[in-house]
Amino acid sequence: MPDTTVPTQRSRMPLFRLLSMGVFLLMAGCASPPTSQRPPSVSSIPPLTTEQSNSITIHALGLVGTPYRYGGNTPEGGFDCSGLIGYVYRSSLGQVPPRTVSRMASFGRPVAMSEIRSGDLVLFGNSAPSHAGIYVGDGRFVHAPSTGGEVRLDRLDGVYWSRQPTQARRP
């Protein structure tokens, strides 16, 4: 004959504890932050050293003359402005900045234009910038300006660029 005894309160206690512990572990796992491949936060990016700034500058200047290509991000295929920045930073530092100019507006730290130095990003436009380049010193920056053009060196105080709202970021 089968055992039809009802489990006592005492025999259910270990099962209850085990179930409670499982629920707790499941909830703790769900509460963990996601492990996505987002760009590092501002506080986790150390400031650029002089050597890094120089490396970025030399690399950017070496790409002057590369054809412009919308969506381009290699010397062989051409560059758009954010592709140029991504390529230089990835090659020089191993850092991957955001792919779009508007997202670069929150990359790194803001820098006063009076304190800009080689390797800093310059962003043009109002609250959502629409163009960017890499500052290389002496009031000049390297950028990929437009379709049909090529990567070039321009001056921040030039007729066109001096009229644009400008901000600087230091990765």
Side-chain angles (χ1 to χ4, degrees):
M1 184 160 212
D3 186 6
T4 58
T5 58
V6 177
T8 65
Q9 179 79 3
R10 191 169 248 235
S11 65
R12 283 186 271 177
M13 192 56 92
L15 180 62
F16 177 75
R17 283 185 184 157
L18 186 61
L19 222 61
S20 297
M21 183 181 259
V23 168
F24 172 76
L25 290 173
L26 180 64
M27 291 178 72
C30 292
S32 300
T35 56
S36 65
Q37 292 295 332
R38 292 185 179 179
S41 69
V42 170
S43 60
S44 70
I45 301 172
L48 294 177
T49 64
T50 302
E51 293 80 21
Q52 290 171 322
S53 295
N54 291 338
S55 175
I56 291 167
T57 300
I58 291 166
H59 205 124
L61 287 168
L63 294 168
V64 169
T66 304
Y68 176 92
R69 190 184 105 219
Y70 181 77
N73 56 13
T74 65
E76 300 78 25
F79 291 110
D80 64 10
C81 65
S82 58
L84 171 69
I85 291 166
Y87 179 81
V88 169
Y89 274 83
R90 193 171 32 261
S91 300
S92 299
L93 306 178
Q95 283 185 9
V96 182
R99 179 60 175 106
T100 64
V101 174
S102 62
R103 292 190 61 210
M104 283 182 192
S106 60
F107 180 66
R109 295 167 178 81
V111 176
M113 291 304 290
S114 60
E115 296 184 22
I116 194 169
R117 69 176 199 201
S118 295
D120 289 343
L121 299 179
V122 286
L123 300 136
F124 300 94
N126 291 316
S127 57
S130 57
H131 189 64
I134 299 170
Y135 187 75
V136 295
D138 271 345
R140 300 170 303 159
F141 68 104
V142 172
H143 65 124
S146 61
T147 303
E150 55 188 34
V151 174
R152 68 181 193 218
L153 183 63
D154 272 336
R155 296 195 56 80
L156 288 172
D157 62 1
V159 174
Y160 179 79
W161 298 110
S162 64
R163 295 183 199 163
Q164 304 303 310
T166 308
Q167 61 176 297
R169 309 276 315 170
R170 181 167 298 147

